[in-house]
Amino acid sequence: MRLPNLTRPTLSARSLRWAFHTYWRFSRGLTMGVRGVVLDEQNRVFLIRHTYVPGWHLPGGGVETGETTEEALRRELLEEACIRLDGEPLTHGVFYNRGASKRDHVVVYVVRAFTVTCRKAPDQEIAEADFFPLDALPEATTQATRRRLAEILEGQVRTATW
């Protein structure tokens, strides 16, 4: 009588493991975004207003497959703000963004070394973009943006959520 090889999974065991892995990956997929707190020499912050969502936000966006968060920040700042990083950004924190999904997180960077390559013109995604004094933020600046600024510039306790 031949005994089964218990060290090698059977085809059905491998298939089951693959099915569970696939289910887990797609049902529990993590999404990651980045935002940049871009501060100029006058301590003004760069904000954007999208065409598709209300309020003024920190520039940023999603991290693409195969991209680091810093690469995503560099790409998003060029696309949304015409801002080129000239140095290493400082990581402020990672925040859970339950408003976007149950699995979304946002990495926030502080950017002080940069060059504005040109003035950002309105396009299909960005309605307006500009630097604002911290004591004169647009009224529609989002609460998440205001919290990040207070944490970074006023020393308020950092929260875990966006």
Side-chain angles (χ1 to χ4, degrees):
M1 170 178 1
R2 187 169 190 186
L3 294 175
N5 183 350
L6 298 177
T7 60
R8 230 175 105 190
T10 63
L11 179 58
S12 61
R14 283 192 307 253
S15 297
L16 204 70
R17 191 169 46 234
W18 177 84
F20 279 123
H21 173 77
T22 301
Y23 169 77
W24 183 264
R25 182 161 190 238
F26 288 106
S27 69
R28 307 249 192 259
L30 177 74
T31 58
M32 180 74 62
V34 293
R35 298 283 177 150
V37 178
V38 180
L39 299 163
D40 68 7
E41 298 84 21
Q42 292 88 40
N43 226 23
R44 297 178 305 164
V45 64
F46 192 86
L47 299 176
I48 59 171
R49 189 173 64 79
H50 294 280
T51 58
Y52 53 88
V53 65
W56 286 87
H57 304 262
L58 299 167
V63 178
E64 301 294 335
T65 302
E67 187 176 51
T68 68
T69 56
E70 191 173 315
E71 289 168 341
L73 178 69
R74 288 178 186 280
R75 177 181 49 75
E76 289 289 345
L77 287 179
L78 275 173
E79 289 174 5
E80 292 191 347
C82 299
I83 291 175
R84 184 187 70 230
L85 287 179
D86 292 337
E88 296 299 312
L90 175 68
T91 304
H92 171 61
V94 179
F95 302 87
Y96 171 52
N97 185 10
R98 73 172 57 102
S101 80
K102 293 179 181 179
R103 300 286 295 165
D104 190 60
H105 293 75
V106 179
V107 181
V108 176
Y109 289 95
V110 178
V111 176
R112 292 193 180 265
F114 63 91
T115 300
V116 177
T117 61
C118 64
R119 182 158 179 84
K120 176 63 180 174
D123 59 26
Q124 289 183 340
E125 181 183 3
I126 307 299
E128 295 179 81
D130 209 347
F131 282 94
F132 294 91
L134 296 169
D135 60 354
L137 297 176
E139 187 175 315
T141 301
T142 66
Q143 288 303 309
T145 298
R146 291 178 186 275
R147 277 194 300 274
R148 300 298 81 82
L149 293 172
E151 292 164 2
I152 293 164
L153 300 166
E154 299 170 14
Q156 287 192 12
V157 175
R158 188 172 63 197
T159 63
T161 58
W162 185 247

